[in-house]
Amino acid sequence: MGVVAARVFLHPILFIVAVVSKSIIHQIQAQKVDWSETVPYEEQFRNKVTRLHFYFHDRVSGKNPTAIPIAQASTTNQSSTMFGTLRMIDDPLTEGSDPSSKVVGRAQGLYGFSGQDQLSLIAVVSYVFTDEKLKNGSSLSLLSHNPILNPVRELAVVGGTGSFRFASGFAQIKTLFFNLTSGDAIVEYYVTVVHY
């Protein structure tokens, strides 16, 4: 076979080898797991809107408080707004405003008194739901400023788990009861979240 004939014969073979090699490399790269992956949009990921209405019971006093101080500003920086005080909470969430009504979850996290001149909080809290209406253990995460003397406040919902994966939304809240002596409070929550 002459040189020209060999080139003509090898050219289609090289082309096929190149195409097959490229296909094999592409398949190997497609199977490779990287630290980041973008997947196509799936039909199951359709937005849902859920509205919740419950009551938050913050008990600072008594033998079994649900909110306890874990950090406090130095005594030289005492403030009428409690600026610098940080509390860890495990507050019950109930169906009704009565503390003995059905518990539907727990508010777990912390809040700190963040205002030097006015009474306000910064809250970092997960609302973990235990009611059978939701997947047990489903939670909503809030990270928000809370000007507690305002009659109605709005807090940001920044995430969620379980039934509330990819959640975002807001909570409108108002204080129903606040004891100036004990610090105990009952807060009504109306929550609207968008999730998948």
Side-chain angles (χ1 to χ4, degrees), residues 52-54 93-95 101-106 127-139 163-164:
L52 302 167
H53 178 223
F54 55 85
L93 306 174
T94 62
E95 252 184 357
S101 64
K102 180 182 176 184
V103 174
V104 295
R106 308 289 298 185
Y127 292 78
V128 183
F129 298 98
T130 55
D131 189 72
E132 65 275 358
K133 287 182 182 177
L134 300 171
K135 187 176 180 182
N136 191 15
S138 295
S139 69
S163 297
F164 298 119

Side-chain angles (χ1 to χ4, degrees), residues 99-176:
S100 63
S101 64
K102 180 182 176 184
V103 174
V104 295
R106 308 289 298 185
Q108 297 175 328
L110 49 91
Y111 62 78
F113 290 85
S114 57
Q116 286 184 313
D117 301 322
Q118 57 182 326
L119 204 53
S120 65
L121 304 174
I122 185 76
V124 182
V125 182
S126 285
Y127 292 78
V128 183
F129 298 98
T130 55
D131 189 72
E132 65 275 358
K133 287 182 182 177
L134 300 171
K135 187 176 180 182
N136 191 15
S138 295
S139 69
L140 290 173
S141 297
L142 281 80
L143 172 60
S144 203
H145 171 251
N146 182 357
I148 58 178
L149 294 181
N150 290 1
V152 177
R153 288 96 67 200
E154 189 170 291
L155 308 181
V157 175
V158 296
T161 64
S163 297
F164 298 119
R165 287 182 183 144
F166 301 106
S168 63
F170 64 95
Q172 286 189 323
I173 68 173
K174 64 179 178 180
T175 303
L176 295 183

Side-chain angles (χ1 to χ4, degrees), residues 11-28:
H11 182 66
I13 292 174
L14 290 175
F15 176 75
I16 292 169
V17 168
V19 168
V20 170
S21 297
K22 187 175 182 178
S23 174
I24 290 170
I25 290 168
H26 179 59
Q27 287 176 1
I28 290 170

